[in-house]
Amino acid sequence: MKTPKDAVIDESKEMGELEISSQAYIKMCLHAARYPYGAVNGVLLARRPQGGRAECLCVTDSVPLFHNHLSLSLGLEVALNQIDLWSLKQDLILAGYYQANAALDDKNASNVALRTAGRLSEYFNDAILITLDNRHLSPDPLLPPVIILQHKDKRWLPKDKNLIMWQNWEQTRHIGKTLLESKAYRQLVDFDAHLDDIRRDWTNQHLNHEIAKLASVANGSA
């Protein structure tokens, strides 16, 4: 990854609103469903702010990392470098981190989550940290089962819920339910799986296409 000095975004303004796309949210949930008895983690990608900080951070995608050993390691360094290079071509930035813990009732940000998210905040000061709430992670939740923290004053603090927007939540619920019930999570490839077989696509373009197709049908444009 780039050095913090070269990559850090202008810090003159505080981040305001946060928008999370259907694709980013659904792929986080599919990753958790793919490995229900263990912890999983991943990286969040966002549109690159133009001319410094944007008033709204738009998280457009999520990249699943690991389901075995989540701690900082050589594997993480390899993954972050590859994701950084790929996201640069897409005009995206590494904007945050997500994790689903192994225990059903554990929705706290673990030391691993804090450490890895902290690493990302060195490159993007407005990085966010998402913990999935396993207890409420179902095919059709009424509300997004996540806890969102923002990096502020060198601490991870809860993001104001009034500043969090979900891209067409009802449609997102429907698409997520459809994919979970069809067991589409079996198709998800995280970086662990990619390292076992480098032919497997960690960007999960097949799932991105499926999500886009279901959104198109829901919008009546298919």
Side-chain angles (χ1 to χ4, degrees), residues 31 39-43 63-67 70 97-100 112 116:
H31 195 197
V40 300
N41 65 357
V43 172
V63 177
L65 286 176
F66 305 117
H67 62 269
L70 309 192
Y97 173 88
Y98 75 84
Q99 183 168 312
V112 169
T116 310

Side-chain angles (χ1 to χ4, degrees), residues 25 29 104-105 107 132-146:
Y25 167 78
C29 294
L104 183 63
D105 292 317
K107 54 186 179 182
L132 276 67
D133 183 351
N134 294 327
R135 175 65 71 178
H136 295 97
L137 195 62
S138 68
D140 194 20
L142 292 178
L143 298 171
V146 300

Side-chain angles (χ1 to χ4, degrees), residues 22 27 30 35 42 75 77 95 110 113 147 154 163 177 192 205:
S22 299
K27 287 167 71 179
L30 292 177
Y35 303 100
E77 293 298 321
S110 68
I147 297 159
K154 298 183 179 180
L163 297 176
K177 183 174 186 288
D192 262 334
Q205 293 302 312

